[in-house]
Amino acid sequence: MTTPFYDNRDTRDPAEREADLMARLPDVVAAAQRSPAGAERLAGVDPGEITSRAALARLPVLRKSDLPGLQKANPPFGGFHAGSLAVFGRLFTSPGPIHEGEGRGTDPWGAARGLYAAGFRPGDVVINTFSYHLTPGGFIMDGGARALGCPVIPAGPGNTEAQLDVIEAFRPVAFAGTPDFLKIVLDAANGAGRDVSSIRKAIVSGAAFPKSLQELFSGRGIEAYQAYATADIGFIAYETEAREGMVVNEDIILEIVRPGTGDPVPEGDVGEIVVTSLDPERPLLRLAVGDLTAAMGGTSACGRTNTRIRGWMGRADQTTKVKGMFVRPEQVAEIGRRHPELGRLRLVVTREGENDAMTLRAEAPSPALAEPLAATLQSVTKLRGAIEIVPPGSLPNDGKVIADERKYD
């Protein structure tokens, strides 16, 4: 009988895992400092002192949205890689454009653990419909599946008729791709009288996976699970049979921070995902990927003990223009820093007649704070706005700090 766990790290004591991650962190900080950009960003940092989450939180955040500009100015990796490109097995370009490199080791994107949680087992034939062209998506899944001992059909996306041909020929047990494309394949097979009944399990990513679609697949005999992965890191988190959030992958440190800052939020609050990869060949320190989520308390019913997140909950970049000037989440965070007595903040942008207008809604213990808040709002944003004091705990816990509610007829 096979174990439900990939290895014993799935179920180790959380304190043991945390100690292991923090013990490995200084070497990764030192590796990052060996690149020109890393040396500049981490000037004066002693790697030996970065041994806790609090110490890590003092390091600067690298925003994924900044990578295209940095890499264009200093190709190919923006100065964040030192030495020869020969350390990489493959080189990619993702939309942005953002350049990525794949390591030479087995399962360099850390996908095998998530695939195993989705039920993939040695010998399962996998049809992989993620793209193999320039972007790493196809290779992320391919590497993880082959590390498990699964033969892979490198199908890529599209060309549904050819997909049906290879499914009937090789009878794959497992599918990897977007949930939308899996539905396209199933609908096409149903309409054409083709047999795709061999597919019984799936790992899906890259698009929303609502419960209705999960139930549709289950009704057709396919148990499908989500993966949360990026082209920079690989597998960040994955769903398990418990279907209670997503378990964070091993070998990474995940933080959830207030959008526009590097400041960790309390457990349960929605914030932006920041990831540190503990791969000394590809050190990435505090990469803010631009997605929102929240941490879940307790341990998964499946027995895995790593942190769980609620999955993708929207985008963190809420920058907008008001009266021709950019207003950014970082500015809302700065207002909060200047008034630590406040709770959550939300800047609401509307139209009044033919003019932009903004109102800062602030959780505060006293309406007397409205006047100094108005002055701070104008000082930080260079724009005037109204202040609305609301009771503590009344603003939604959804990570949104700027809400653009303008409607144009």
Side-chain angles (χ1 to χ4, degrees):
M1 181 177 179
T2 60
T3 172
F5 304 114
Y6 182 65
D7 58 27
N8 59 13
R9 296 202 298 166
D10 278 345
T11 56
R12 60 181 165 169
D13 185 273
E16 179 188 347
R17 177 183 294 108
E18 186 73 2
D20 175 48
L21 294 174
M22 295 305 125
R24 295 161 61 190
L25 185 55
D27 287 343
V28 176
V29 175
Q33 286 180 321
R34 289 194 282 272
S35 70
E40 182 179 347
R41 291 173 64 85
L42 302 172
V45 174
D46 179 356
E49 295 180 355
I50 311 302
T51 58
S52 68
R53 288 182 181 265
L56 178 63
R58 292 195 291 269
L59 301 183
V61 165
L62 173 62
R63 301 206 165 275
K64 183 169 181 173
S65 58
D66 292 336
L67 288 179
L70 293 171
Q71 292 184 349
K72 184 176 181 180
N74 188 2
F77 295 124
F80 287 98
H81 172 71
S84 170
L85 295 180
V87 299
F88 300 108
R90 294 185 178 93
L91 301 168
F92 302 101
T93 297
S94 296
I98 297 177
H99 307 310
E100 300 102 6
E102 178 185 82
R104 289 187 173 275
T106 301
D107 189 26
W109 305 95
R113 189 177 304 275
L115 295 179
Y116 195 90
F120 289 44
R121 294 295 182 268
D124 287 349
V125 176
V126 178
I127 181 166
N128 182 18
T129 67
F130 283 105
S131 176
Y132 284 79
H133 179 63
L134 285 181
T135 62
F139 290 99
I140 290 174
M141 297 296 181
D142 189 294
R146 291 192 299 113
L148 285 179
C150 299
V152 179
I153 305 167
N159 200 349
T160 308
E161 186 174 347
Q163 302 273 1
L164 299 178
D165 289 342
V166 296
I167 291 171
E168 288 187 329
F170 289 113
R171 309 302 294 161
V173 175
F175 172 97
T178 67
D180 298 349
F181 191 62
L182 177 54
K183 185 175 185 302
I184 287 171
V185 169
L186 295 175
D187 289 346
N190 188 58
R194 306 293 293 272
D195 181 9
V196 295
S197 61
S198 63
I199 299 175
R200 287 289 177 262
K201 57 192 77 171
I203 190 86
V204 297
S205 190
F209 187 42
K211 189 173 180 61
S212 58
L213 201 51
Q214 173 194 314
E215 291 173 347
L216 184 151
F217 294 153
S218 183
R220 297 190 185 188
I222 301 171
E223 290 302 313
Y225 295 90
Q226 295 183 80
Y228 174 54
T230 72
D232 323 89
I233 300 290
F235 264 50
I236 294 175
Y238 53 88
E239 195 175 17
T240 75
E241 68 268 21
R243 297 198 186 276
E244 297 173 345
M246 306 179 81
V247 176
V248 174
N249 205 2
E250 301 292 331
D251 302 316
I252 65 171
I253 299 171
L254 184 141
E255 303 170 88
I256 301 174
V257 306
R258 201 165 304 286
T261 77
D263 304 330
V265 302
E267 183 179 285
D269 276 14
V270 177
E272 183 177 9
I273 296 171
V274 170
V275 183
T276 293
S277 168
L278 296 179
D279 180 354
E281 294 293 339
R282 299 188 305 137
L284 277 173
L285 293 175
R286 306 203 79 202
L287 179 70
V289 299
D291 293 328
L292 296 174
T293 195
M296 301 173 64
T299 300
S300 173
C302 73
R304 291 170 177 83
T305 57
N306 208 346
T307 302
R308 291 175 298 154
I309 59 175
R310 288 171 59 186
W312 186 83
M313 299 178 67
R315 292 292 294 168
D317 186 5
Q318 300 157 33
T319 298
T320 190
K321 268 189 175 181
V322 180
K323 298 181 180 178
M325 294 183 65
F326 281 109
V327 180
R328 305 179 187 278
E330 296 94 316
Q331 294 173 305
V332 179
E334 175 60 25
I335 294 169
R337 275 193 287 268
R338 295 189 187 185
H339 297 273
E341 67 274 26
L342 300 177
R344 294 192 180 100
L345 300 173
R346 177 169 298 202
L347 188 67
V348 180
V349 183
T350 56
R351 294 282 287 176
E352 293 182 1
E354 296 301 320
N355 298 307
D356 291 338
M358 62 183 193
T359 300
L360 180 65
R361 294 177 182 162
E363 294 180 354
S366 168
L369 287 167
E371 187 173 340
L373 264 180
T376 302
L377 176 64
Q378 184 175 356
S379 171
V380 171
T381 66
K382 312 305 179 189
L383 295 165
R384 294 180 184 273
I387 303 295
E388 181 183 338
I389 302 296
V390 300
S394 61
L395 290 177
N397 176 24
D398 58 6
K400 185 174 288 188
V401 294
I402 299 177
D404 191 340
E405 299 179 358
R406 289 173 289 192
K407 293 181 173 61
Y408 300 91
D409 296 329

